[in-house]
């Protein structure tokens, strides 16, 4: 393991400690599961709980026993609410409705935010010169706003800024 990868681990662990100590609310992490038909009968999709995370911009930092010391690139987000009836106004509205229905079937708490479609990031040597949102270059851990973004910022600065906003939100931001 390189020094940059070890530094990334330390920075992410420190961010989790700060978020936990400040009592910042976490969110659910789930996996969208489309079950196979049984005897030709289709079953409804659901979301399988994978643990709890803090959403820190483009990163999800594990906050629970199941997800601790792990990190993901943010995917899609849905809130657990009554999905309502299909109205076929637009494809995107129906997709959002299907995600809400799957989250409700996954036994997440009503009103909870569920992150799904997240991509796990291995905190090992594969970070060196990686193409994802978190990578190490010249032994410095860096973050991109998206895998397609050309520029990146140091992970230390990124976490200081983003975690700082979660720990001490600007006045009026949470009213």
């Amino acid at each position: 393991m390189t020094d940059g990868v070890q530094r990334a681990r330390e920075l992410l662990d420190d961010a989790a400690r700060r978020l936990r100590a400040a009592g910042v609310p976490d969110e659910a992490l789930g996996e969208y599961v489309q079950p196979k038909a049984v005897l030709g009968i289709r079953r409804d999709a659901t979301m399988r709980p994978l643990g709890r995370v803090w959403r820190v911009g483009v990163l999800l930092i594990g906050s629970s026993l199941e997800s601790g010391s792990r990190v993901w690139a943010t995917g899609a987000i849905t809130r657990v609410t009554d999905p309502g009836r299909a109205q076929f106004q637009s494809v995107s509205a129906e997709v959002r409705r299907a995600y809400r229905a799957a989250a409700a079937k996954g036994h997440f708490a009503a009103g909870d935010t569920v992150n799904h479609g997240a991509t796990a990031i291995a905190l090992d040597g594969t970070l060196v010169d990686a193409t994802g949102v978190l990578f190490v270059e010249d032994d410095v851990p860096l973050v991109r706003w998206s895998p397609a973004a050309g520029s990146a910022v140091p992970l230390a600065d990124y976490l200081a800024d983003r975690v700082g906003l979660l720990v001490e939100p600007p006045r009026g931001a949470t009213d």
Side-chain angles (χ1 to χ4, degrees):
M1 183 173 4
T2 69
D3 290 341
V5 173
Q6 184 58 37
R7 179 73 179 134
R9 284 181 173 202
E10 292 167 359
L11 289 167
L12 292 163
D13 287 344
D14 183 55
R17 276 192 292 279
R18 284 186 63 202
L19 292 163
R20 185 173 291 109
V24 173
D26 58 7
E27 300 174 348
L29 177 64
E31 177 184 27
Y32 184 79
V33 178
Q34 181 66 55
K36 295 183 186 236
V38 176
L39 299 174
I41 299 171
R42 289 184 36 201
R43 298 182 295 162
D44 292 334
T46 187
M47 284 203 195
R48 183 172 61 100
L50 298 176
R52 307 287 297 178
V53 294
W54 288 290
R55 186 169 5 121
V56 183
V58 297
L59 300 174
L60 300 174
I61 299 174
S63 65
S64 65
L65 186 59
E66 303 89 354
S67 63
S69 297
R70 296 183 61 202
V71 66
W72 293 261
T74 302
I77 302 164
T78 193
R79 184 156 320 263
V80 182
T81 61
D82 178 19
R85 293 187 337 260
Q87 297 186 11
F88 305 105
Q89 292 180 352
S90 70
V91 171
S92 62
E94 288 306 307
V95 167
R96 289 190 305 273
R97 190 190 70 70
Y99 284 142
R100 287 193 307 273
K105 284 191 177 300
H107 305 292
F108 293 96
D112 201 1
T113 300
V114 181
N115 294 274
H116 57 97
T119 305
I121 300 172
L123 297 175
D124 59 21
T126 60
L127 282 180
V128 177
D129 297 325
T131 58
V133 294
L134 179 62
F135 66 104
V136 172
E137 185 175 274
D138 297 327
D139 265 347
V140 177
L142 300 165
V143 176
R144 290 184 186 100
W145 286 104
S146 75
S151 62
V153 296
L155 178 62
D157 297 344
Y158 181 83
L159 290 174
D161 182 48
R162 300 296 271 181
V163 170
L165 288 171
L166 291 169
V167 169
E168 296 178 25
R171 198 171 116 144
T174 58
D175 296 341

